[in-house]
Amino acid sequence: MWSQGRITLSPRARGFHLVTEEVERGVPELDRLAVGIVSVFIRHTSASLTINENASRDVLRDFASWFDAAVSEDAPFWTHTLEGPDDMPAHVKSSLLDCSLTIPVADGRLALGTWQGIYLCEHRDSASGRELVITLCGEER
Amino acid sequence: MWSQGRITLSPRARGFHLVTEEVERGVPELDRLAVGIVSVFIRHTSASLTINENASRDVLRDFASWFDAAVSEDAPFWTHTLEGPDDMPAHVKSSLLDCSLTIPVADGRLALGTWQGIYLCEHRDSASGRELVITLCGEER
Amino acid sequence: MWSQGRITLSPRARGFHLVTEEVERGVPELDRLAVGIVSVFIRHTSASLTINENASRDVLRDFASWFDAAVSEDAPFWTHTLEGPDDMPAHVKSSLLDCSLTIPVADGRLALGTWQGIYLCEHRDSASGRELVITLCGEER
């Protein structure tokens, strides 16, 4: 069984945001699968997806702090600056974190660990909703 | 053909560890496939998976050195510190390295390059065995 | 439908290079799929793949600047130095950026965003052509 859909995540402020439920609502056929895989792909180069701790808001904030420090807007070597100081760091952060997730499906559900959630990583100061392509494949129950 | 299993890697010290054989033993159906894909997913947020050089122990040690320096426990901005100084750096390292691998299968084997091996990246000072979900799909020989 | 092929990218200088068209030419069956997934896997540990901005040469150069600064050849902790000062940084960069891409297919085409392209990230000073395994699966139109 194959299925594919597109959803647009609601716009978020710069930073890291839990979007597990928003993604799951984009995959209504999930519960038909016994075993499978979901591919979640973000169609942008200045926002990304990752999986991490789903319980503490502290963690989301600390992610932003680390990435802002590690990929500084003030680095002397940036040359692609026409779209603002947050643009080139956003591209680098996107590739460090990746634009796609591949998540196993078991018994009609994402087989995430207890503490795992899906993060939208919004790297621009101001962005509109981000588009995801969600592709599901597997064996029906 | 679809198949899925779970294995628990034996507990490892903080650092980087080659686990290719442990993972392959978790996929007994591999040799039935002519062409396919294996998804390996770690159900944790303070350990991760990557593919890198499989021959030198030096490389494993240097990975640990770089990640410990780049994601310092002493950074002044951490606020999520309740679970110990190694916890928040572990989360960031996990997302830099990723919780999943997608590996092609050819002629019943993982189509890894000669020098490629699977690393378990253990970011906590002390952790129990890490659980993997391994999902296999493809065309039988 | 499953299909798999191998291509060798032409050798590139150290740095970041757009290879979207070279990869697409390696997947002639793409246009037969209504819905699917392409896995692109590089069989090396000192070069990697990522998806990022496809329009400005500035961005490619700034990627190289950031990665060269963040994973310095001069770091005091490297012990794996036998293969040259660019070797160990190449391994770390490869794992930060990843050796595989999973890209959704829609209506016979890669479902990339308007600004997304595939980068070959060549981390060695001197390298020969890099081998990719491209695996395609999905539902035919």
Side-chain angles (χ1 to χ4, degrees):
Chain A
M1 181 201 132
W2 283 85
S3 146
Q4 189 176 72
R6 297 189 185 205
I7 64 171
T8 300
L9 297 175
S10 63
R12 300 301 210 291
R14 177 167 161 171
F16 292 73
H17 305 276
L18 266 172
V19 296
T20 315
E21 288 171 27
E22 230 172 309
V23 171
E24 283 174 339
R25 282 199 300 273
V27 200
E29 309 83 354
L30 194 59
D31 64 2
R32 290 172 47 193
L33 289 188
V35 169
I37 281 174
V38 173
S39 153
V40 187
F41 185 89
I42 192 166
R43 300 180 78 234
H44 302 273
T45 62
S46 57
S48 47
L49 298 170
T50 196
I51 288 175
N52 219 291
E53 214 259 23
N54 61 15
S56 313
R57 296 193 62 80
D58 292 355
V59 173
L60 300 169
R61 184 172 51 215
D62 287 358
F63 260 87
S65 299
W66 188 84
F67 278 91
D68 285 347
V71 191
S72 167
E73 297 191 359
D74 301 326
F77 45 69
W78 300 130
T79 61
H80 179 76
T81 53
L82 266 178
E83 298 172 55
D86 60 324
D87 183 58
M88 193 57 224
H91 290 311
V92 171
K93 292 171 186 174
S94 291
S95 277
L96 288 173
L97 286 162
D98 230 331
C99 63
S100 74
L101 303 172
T102 302
I103 306 173
V105 178
D107 295 326
R109 304 178 61 172
L110 300 180
L112 296 170
T114 310
W115 303 105
Q116 288 182 310
I118 301 174
Y119 288 14
L120 169 68
C121 319
E122 176 55 70
H123 305 303
R124 295 304 307 264
D125 288 334
S126 174
S128 48
R130 300 297 197 166
E131 192 186 8
L132 305 185
V133 182
I134 305 179
T135 309
L136 185 74
C137 57
E139 213 163 52
E140 291 191 70
R141 319 208 228 190
Chain B
M1 180 201 133
W2 283 85
S3 146
Q4 189 176 72
R6 297 188 185 204
I7 64 171
T8 301
L9 297 175
S10 63
R12 298 303 209 292
R14 176 166 161 170
F16 292 72
H17 305 275
L18 266 172
V19 295
T20 315
E21 287 171 28
E22 230 173 309
V23 171
E24 282 174 340
R25 282 198 301 273
V27 200
E29 308 83 355
L30 194 59
D31 64 2
R32 291 171 48 193
L33 290 188
V35 169
I37 282 173
V38 173
S39 152
V40 187
F41 185 88
I42 191 165
R43 300 181 78 233
H44 302 273
T45 62
S46 58
S48 47
L49 299 169
T50 195
I51 288 176
N52 220 291
E53 215 258 24
N54 61 15
S56 313
R57 296 193 62 80
D58 292 355
V59 173
L60 300 169
R61 183 173 53 214
D62 287 358
F63 260 88
S65 299
W66 188 84
F67 278 91
D68 285 347
V71 192
S72 168
E73 297 191 358
D74 301 325
F77 45 68
W78 300 131
T79 61
H80 179 77
T81 53
L82 266 178
E83 297 171 57
D86 59 324
D87 183 57
M88 193 57 223
H91 290 311
V92 172
K93 292 171 186 174
S94 291
S95 277
L96 288 172
L97 285 163
D98 230 331
C99 62
S100 74
L101 302 173
T102 303
I103 306 173
V105 178
D107 295 325
R109 304 178 59 173
L110 299 180
L112 295 169
T114 310
W115 303 104
Q116 289 182 310
I118 301 174
Y119 288 15
L120 169 68
C121 319
E122 176 54 71
H123 305 303
R124 295 305 306 265
D125 288 335
S126 174
S128 48
R130 299 296 197 166
E131 193 186 8
L132 305 185
V133 182
I134 305 179
T135 309
L136 186 74
C137 58
E139 212 163 53
E140 292 192 71
R141 318 208 228 189
Chain C
M1 180 200 134
W2 283 85
S3 146
Q4 189 175 72
R6 297 189 185 204
I7 64 171
T8 301
L9 297 175
S10 63
R12 299 301 209 293
R14 176 166 160 170
F16 292 73
H17 306 275
L18 266 173
V19 295
T20 315
E21 288 171 27
E22 231 173 310
V23 171
E24 283 174 340
R25 282 198 301 273
V27 200
E29 308 83 354
L30 194 59
D31 65 3
R32 291 172 48 194
L33 290 188
V35 169
I37 280 174
V38 173
S39 152
V40 187
F41 184 89
I42 191 165
R43 299 180 78 234
H44 302 273
T45 62
S46 58
S48 47
L49 299 170
T50 195
I51 288 175
N52 220 291
E53 214 258 24
N54 62 14
S56 313
R57 295 194 62 80
D58 292 356
V59 173
L60 299 169
R61 184 173 52 216
D62 286 357
F63 260 87
S65 299
W66 187 85
F67 277 91
D68 285 347
V71 192
S72 168
E73 296 191 359
D74 301 326
F77 45 69
W78 301 130
T79 61
H80 180 77
T81 53
L82 265 179
E83 297 172 56
D86 59 324
D87 183 57
M88 193 57 224
H91 291 310
V92 172
K93 292 171 185 174
S94 291
S95 277
L96 287 173
L97 285 163
D98 230 329
C99 63
S100 74
L101 302 173
T102 302
I103 306 173
V105 178
D107 296 325
R109 304 178 59 174
L110 300 180
L112 295 169
T114 309
W115 303 106
Q116 288 182 311
I118 300 174
Y119 288 14
L120 169 67
C121 319
E122 176 54 71
H123 305 303
R124 295 305 307 263
D125 288 335
S126 174
S128 47
R130 300 297 197 166
E131 193 186 8
L132 306 184
V133 182
I134 306 179
T135 308
L136 186 73
C137 57
E139 213 163 52
E140 292 192 71
R141 320 208 229 190

